[in-house]
Amino acid sequence: MNGPSLRGVLAPVITPFTGGLAPDPGRFQRHCAWLLAQGCCGLAVFGTNSEANSLGQQERMDLLSGLAASGVDPARLIPGTGCCSLPETVALSAHAVALGCHGVLMLPPFYYKGVPDEGLFRSYSEVIQRVGDARLRIYLYHIPPVSGVAISVPLVERLLKAYPGTIAGVKDSGGDWEHTSALLGYAAQGLEVYAGSEVFLLRTLRGGGAGCITAGANVNPAAIDRVFRHWDDPSAEALQAAIDRVRVILQSHGPMIPALKAVTAHFAGDPAWRTVRPPLVELPGAQTQALLDDLMGAGFAMPGLAG
Amino acid sequence: MNGPSLRGVLAPVITPFTGGLAPDPGRFQRHCAWLLAQGCCGLAVFGTNSEANSLGQQERMDLLSGLAASGVDPARLIPGTGCCSLPETVALSAHAVALGCHGVLMLPPFYYKGVPDEGLFRSYSEVIQRVGDARLRIYLYHIPPVSGVAISVPLVERLLKAYPGTIAGVKDSGGDWEHTSALLGYAAQGLEVYAGSEVFLLRTLRGGGAGCITAGANVNPAAIDRVFRHWDDPSAEALQAAIDRVRVILQSHGPMIPALKAVTAHFAGDPAWRTVRPPLVELPGAQTQALLDDLMGAGFAMPGLAG
């Protein structure tokens, strides 16, 4: 893994499924191309919003290989590779390294709760040693509301000291600005801090952070990228306020993943995008309409999106 | 999957690892044989206490195939097969069916939280359809303190109605007797209810339940089996009180899995048993000694256990 830092906006790309609930590589590749054309600096495929944890190891590998073969530069990819089990995390991470991905976004093992930092340190250490490749660059994925397992600031510090060339950054989806702020204290030591929601983007950038990896970038990438490009301008506050309004709407009509897919289905004119894998359930029609009404009332669109 | 109901005590067998953190089939098979010889009616290998969610798909398949090849009757096995991802759950369940296992213990997909019952119903339905084998018998695994995803009573009822020959039972590790009690209301419809801890065993049996699948059965199987065999005798209360005392001690000196392994290591005279896979951490020496002192003070032993 190599190349310069991916500073800017990354999308945790939503994963399309066929009617038979198989991943749909064609739609996936087209959506990835659209996101990059809209200003995303990179793609955090296989994030939480990608339903990645509902995908099998081979399904992830096939989608990633296919994406690279479709012409997307692997240096723009930070695929999620953190699973419950050590062998699966190692296999996915090694595959991403072999493909030349920029880095990997790695959840801690998340089945067992209340585990000590020492155990999480050993988990990451074991993965690093088993992958055994100096090109491995890990972005630690802190999302305790979903994973149930936090990555504490002392753990980040310990990992950064032990593996300075390998621990590249953190995605902070905890929703707690104090935690993000503490992590930004390590930016001078090379830690790239990504906000887990665009609502923290401006604050993150002003604190020395690298950008954001956010659900909202799936549907609103250009506007979020404008905040990134203008963070030091007088216009930044207004640009941030505009993306905040869209984010609030996206969150207000049901669970985020089905909502993102319903919005994408609408603007792509492609109902197949609504499909989610269980245990998720697609957004009901009435909620979808209310969501679209609110978004369009705010002037929202997804220009250039094709089915 | 076939054969009579496995009424009685099942152990979620602890999984031994080598110094290199690979599963150790030899120690695993010897421990399984000891558990069956001590009175376990069956083995719920790959449960929570087995660190199953830290094992990869192939590791689980190899351990299970090896166990059957070692002479353990597959009709006595209820392996855990529930993973986050649909393909992995399907692959493990199909493998267990093909080996002739009595049933499978199936967690709901557990990464995404706050999912609706409809989504969980679809998850189990999809697994049943993809396995596509009338021999499949599913024991639903309710353990919200760890999985973060509950299996509600209405969901159990709906699944039982939709798949009466396939939904065989429930393991209730929620720690809430009211939930277990509500599930026992479906015993007349064939639902086999297992308590998730031996502390609920007598109540579960008196309510028409099938037995228990419990961490404690890894180290105290004979005494727990005595409660099962004498539940309708005047002696039952005293037998239950005796296993309760051991359970309290097991829980009082640190996390359960490292504690079970430390106790096993001691009585087997085999320090290798202490090894856990990250993110767990083995029980420190001082805690181990305090735990052993308490257990031996209560007259506890693991007779016939060899390294």
Side-chain angles (χ1 to χ4, degrees):
Chain A
M1 304 184 180
N2 41 56
S5 150
L6 282 183
R7 297 183 72 85
V9 179
L10 292 98
V13 184
I14 50 175
T15 305
F17 295 105
T18 67
L21 297 180
D24 181 336
R27 281 188 174 82
F28 179 66
Q29 291 160 19
R30 287 195 295 278
H31 192 58
C32 286
W34 181 81
L35 290 166
L36 291 170
Q38 287 285 307
C40 282
C41 68
L43 303 174
V45 297
F46 314 144
T48 296
N49 285 282
S50 314
E51 300 171 74
N53 295 97
S54 301
L55 299 175
Q57 175 179 317
Q58 195 60 49
E59 289 176 329
R60 293 203 208 194
M61 287 185 175
D62 290 347
L63 278 175
L64 192 65
S65 299
L67 184 59
S70 79
V72 168
D73 182 358
R76 288 200 178 210
L77 301 177
I78 305 181
T81 62
C83 301
C84 288
S85 84
L86 184 61
E88 196 170 4
T89 301
V90 170
L92 291 173
S93 300
H95 179 249
V97 171
L99 273 179
C101 292
H102 177 79
V104 297
L105 182 59
M106 199 180 290
L107 283 165
F110 53 81
Y111 181 70
Y112 296 99
K113 308 301 189 296
V115 297
D117 274 5
E118 170 66 23
L120 296 173
F121 179 83
R122 290 185 192 179
S123 290
Y124 282 109
S125 294
E126 189 71 21
V127 171
I128 292 167
Q129 287 156 28
R130 289 193 182 200
V131 173
D133 192 311
R135 295 172 297 168
L136 175 65
R137 287 166 53 84
I138 295 174
Y139 293 84
L140 304 167
Y141 190 2
H142 174 69
I143 183 169
V146 185
S147 67
V149 179
I151 300 179
S152 72
V153 175
L155 174 61
V156 173
E157 179 175 314
R158 186 176 167 195
L159 284 165
L160 194 60
K161 271 190 190 156
Y163 304 104
T166 303
I167 301 298
V170 180
K171 176 185 179 190
D172 186 352
S173 297
D176 169 13
W177 176 251
E178 277 189 42
H179 190 261
T180 311
S181 186
L183 292 171
L184 287 166
Y186 297 90
Q189 295 170 46
L191 191 75
E192 300 168 23
V193 178
Y194 291 88
S197 165
E198 64 268 39
V199 300
F200 296 110
L201 178 55
L202 192 52
R203 272 182 280 183
T204 299
L205 294 168
R206 287 182 174 168
C212 66
I213 302 174
T214 176
N218 271 289
V219 295
N220 201 25
I224 301 172
D225 180 53
R226 270 195 293 279
V227 175
F228 171 71
R229 283 185 290 109
H230 298 282
W231 70 273
D232 212 13
D233 295 356
S235 66
E237 306 283 354
L239 294 171
Q240 177 70 50
I243 64 172
D244 287 352
R245 279 194 295 276
V246 171
R247 175 80 188 205
V248 166
I249 296 170
L250 285 171
Q251 292 179 159
S252 62
H253 293 280
M256 180 60 89
I257 300 169
L260 294 172
K261 288 191 150 180
V263 171
T264 304
H266 173 80
F267 284 98
D270 180 4
W273 261 111
R274 295 183 66 239
T275 308
V276 290
R277 222 177 217 190
L280 303 188
V281 173
E282 65 279 0
L283 206 66
Q287 276 172 268
T288 300
Q289 196 52 56
L291 171 59
L292 292 170
D293 289 350
D294 276 8
L295 284 172
M296 290 191 278
F300 174 88
M302 293 176 74
L305 189 67
Chain B
M1 304 185 183
N2 42 55
S5 149
L6 281 183
R7 298 183 72 85
V9 179
L10 291 98
V13 184
I14 50 175
T15 304
F17 295 105
T18 66
L21 295 181
D24 181 337
R27 280 188 174 83
F28 180 65
Q29 291 159 19
R30 288 196 295 277
H31 191 57
C32 286
W34 180 81
L35 290 166
L36 291 170
Q38 287 286 306
C40 282
C41 68
L43 303 173
V45 296
F46 313 143
T48 296
N49 286 283
S50 314
E51 298 171 76
N53 295 97
S54 301
L55 299 175
Q57 176 179 317
Q58 195 60 49
E59 289 176 329
R60 292 202 209 195
M61 288 185 176
D62 290 347
L63 278 174
L64 191 64
S65 300
L67 184 59
S70 79
V72 168
D73 182 0
R76 288 199 178 212
L77 301 177
I78 304 181
T81 62
C83 301
C84 288
S85 85
L86 184 60
E88 196 171 2
T89 301
V90 170
L92 291 173
S93 300
H95 179 250
V97 171
L99 273 180
C101 292
H102 176 81
V104 298
L105 182 60
M106 200 181 288
L107 283 165
F110 53 82
Y111 182 69
Y112 296 100
K113 308 302 191 293
V115 297
D117 274 5
E118 171 65 23
L120 295 175
F121 179 82
R122 291 185 193 179
S123 289
Y124 281 109
S125 294
E126 190 71 22
V127 172
I128 292 168
Q129 286 155 29
R130 289 192 182 200
V131 173
D133 193 311
R135 295 172 297 169
L136 176 64
R137 287 166 53 84
I138 296 175
Y139 292 84
L140 304 167
Y141 190 4
H142 175 69
I143 183 168
V146 185
S147 67
V149 178
I151 299 179
S152 72
V153 175
L155 175 61
V156 173
E157 179 176 314
R158 186 175 167 195
L159 284 165
L160 195 59
K161 271 190 190 157
Y163 304 103
T166 303
I167 302 298
V170 180
K171 177 187 178 188
D172 186 352
S173 298
D176 169 13
W177 176 250
E178 278 189 41
H179 191 262
T180 310
S181 186
L183 292 172
L184 287 167
Y186 297 90
Q189 295 170 46
L191 191 75
E192 299 167 23
V193 178
Y194 291 88
S197 165
E198 65 267 38
V199 300
F200 296 110
L201 178 55
L202 192 52
R203 273 182 279 183
T204 299
L205 294 168
R206 288 182 172 168
C212 66
I213 303 174
T214 177
N218 270 290
V219 295
N220 200 25
I224 301 173
D225 179 52
R226 270 195 293 278
V227 175
F228 172 71
R229 285 185 288 109
H230 297 283
W231 69 273
D232 213 13
D233 295 355
S235 65
E237 305 284 354
L239 295 172
Q240 177 70 51
I243 65 173
D244 287 352
R245 279 194 295 276
V246 171
R247 175 80 187 206
V248 167
I249 295 170
L250 286 172
Q251 290 179 160
S252 61
H253 293 281
M256 180 61 88
I257 300 169
L260 293 172
K261 288 190 149 180
V263 171
T264 303
H266 173 80
F267 284 98
D270 180 6
W273 261 112
R274 295 184 66 238
T275 308
V276 290
R277 223 178 215 189
L280 303 187
V281 173
E282 65 280 359
L283 206 67
Q287 277 171 268
T288 300
Q289 195 54 55
L291 170 59
L292 292 171
D293 288 349
D294 277 7
L295 284 172
M296 290 191 277
F300 174 89
M302 292 177 74
L305 189 69

